[in-house]
Amino acid sequence: MVIVKSWQKIFALLVVLLLCIGCSKVPSTSYNPWAAVSLPTEAKLLDIAFTENPQHGFLVGSNATLLETNDGGNNWQPLNLALDDDRYRFDSVSFAGKEGWIAGEPSLLLHTTDEGRSWSRIPLSEKLPGNPIAIQALGTDIAEMATDVGAIYKTTDGGKNWKAQVEAAVGVVRNLERSADGKYVAVSAKGSFYSTWEPGQSAWVPHNRNSSRRVENMGFSQDGLWLLARGGQVQFSDPTKPDEWLDAQNPELATSWGLLDMAYRTPNEVWIGGGSGNLLVSTDGGKTWEKDRDVEEVAANFYKVVFLKPDQGFVIGDRGVLLKYQPEAAKTATTEPAA
């Protein structure tokens, strides 16, 4: 009987401890600039892009999901493409003017020159290392494509011919990002190391992770790199020493075990999306953080945060979840007089 009571006390203490750990102490945002958009799909969404018309855009995702909007992202309609299989995963979409591209798995590349009214399939060599997972439209007939093993190719003739930009692949990657000036960073499949490449280099440059925590995702900050690691850890490279990293942060130590993506709205305003409707923001370049608790009830993992322009942003999640940035809400919040 004494042993049973002792175990009951221990169990009760563990419950209290878990509840305390689950209590988030990060401050709440004073306003919520995000609105949930109803979509005609429950597929996992993966990327978004707009044409030269800021009202006309496309969403892509799993199960050959392709959605189109003509009102800036408030309403979306599904498009069906004549493919041999509806299980293709559309990983990436990009537009330059009216010309657009979609890259996906297994080994799929689509091309449009009429703002998405019609799409043609670009044949890919059977010798292509890996599957295309990233595509960047760079101008008329010009695009850059990267695969899930870090092969990078460029076309200047609308996809008829592709030239390898790097001599060897880097190995299977969990994610891969491209900067506006053509640099790449890729995280290994297990998150144990990352690699960088920039135009002019013949090969990827590998880098060991700088902590025991596995790397979840990486991308480009205003003046270097950012890194998200397991356990909700955020880190920025040193602006004065690109090969070194500043001290790691845990914006929300108690609950941020699944931070998944980061994006800059302005040079100082940074948003991070995570698991279970977790959305954090910093207005001082990543020094301090706040939590947008108004979106916590959204039943989705926020896999991708995208700002096409400071006033045009989206948070992309699984199960057909999309949040749209509302600049009017942000403007109202910043101009309202204090109580």
Side-chain angles (χ1 to χ4, degrees), residues 122-142:
I122 302 296
L124 295 174
S125 170
E126 295 181 355
K127 296 180 180 180
L128 178 72
N131 293 300
I133 59 169
I135 188 75
Q136 182 66 48
L138 299 174
T140 304
D141 291 333
I142 306 173

Side-chain angles (χ1 to χ4, degrees), residues 280-301:
L280 303 170
V281 62
S282 171
T283 56
D284 55 15
K287 296 181 179 66
T288 60
W289 297 88
E290 295 178 340
K291 185 179 180 70
D292 190 337
R293 287 184 166 82
D294 289 336
V295 301
E296 280 187 313
E297 295 183 0
V298 176
N301 297 319

Side-chain angles (χ1 to χ4, degrees), residues 67-98:
L67 305 177
E68 182 180 23
T69 181
N70 286 288
D71 60 7
N74 295 316
N75 296 280
W76 297 82
Q77 298 298 324
L79 298 178
N80 294 317
L81 301 179
L83 300 174
D84 55 352
D85 197 322
D86 61 2
R87 291 173 294 181
Y88 282 105
R89 173 187 167 109
F90 294 164
D91 290 290
S92 178
V93 58
S94 180
F95 272 84
K98 296 182 179 180

Side-chain angles (χ1 to χ4, degrees), residues 94-122:
S94 180
F95 272 84
K98 296 182 179 180
E99 186 171 7
W101 305 80
I102 294 175
E105 307 168 68
S107 197
L108 180 76
L109 187 63
L110 304 175
H111 183 219
T112 179
T113 57
D114 56 9
E115 213 170 322
R117 295 182 184 86
S118 61
W119 294 84
S120 59
R121 186 166 181 174
I122 302 296

